Amino acid sequence: MTPERCRFFRRQLGWSQEALAEKATLSVSAVRAFELGRGSSRGYVPGSIRRAFEAVGIRMDSDEAPRIATAD
C-alpha cells in the first residue's frame, strides 16, 4: 500500500480520512500521516488500511495493480 493508492481508493469509495480510520481501526492522525508520506510504508498502518479496502472488495496484486474482487 502506498500513500497515493490509499488516497485514490479512499476517494473512489467516498470515504473521509475519519471513515477510513474507523474502518481500519486506526487513529485519524495515523491515516493522515500515512497519506502525507510521513508514516512507514511497512508495518501495521498500511496493512490495516489494505485490509479495510479488501473488506469492501478491493484487491491488489503484488505489483499494486488494483482490481475489484468478483465472485467466481
Side-chain angles (χ1 to χ4, degrees):
M1 177 59 58
T2 65
E4 295 79 15
R5 288 279 185 199
C6 181
R7 287 190 302 273
F8 173 79
F9 289 131
R10 182 175 60 76
R11 289 175 181 153
Q12 290 296 308
L13 292 167
W15 292 355
S16 64
Q17 288 180 332
E18 292 80 6
L20 175 56
E22 182 178 329
K23 294 171 189 310
T25 61
L26 296 168
S27 68
V28 175
S29 62
V31 170
R32 188 172 295 125
F34 181 76
E35 286 192 352
L36 291 172
R38 295 183 183 148
S40 172
S41 62
R42 299 180 189 258
Y44 75 94
V45 171
S48 294
I49 291 171
R50 181 183 203 121
R51 284 188 293 279
F53 290 138
E54 288 176 343
V56 296
I58 293 175
R59 299 287 184 258
M60 286 168 258
D61 297 328
S62 60
D63 64 354
E64 292 290 323
R67 65 184 174 89
I68 302 297
T70 57
D72 293 335

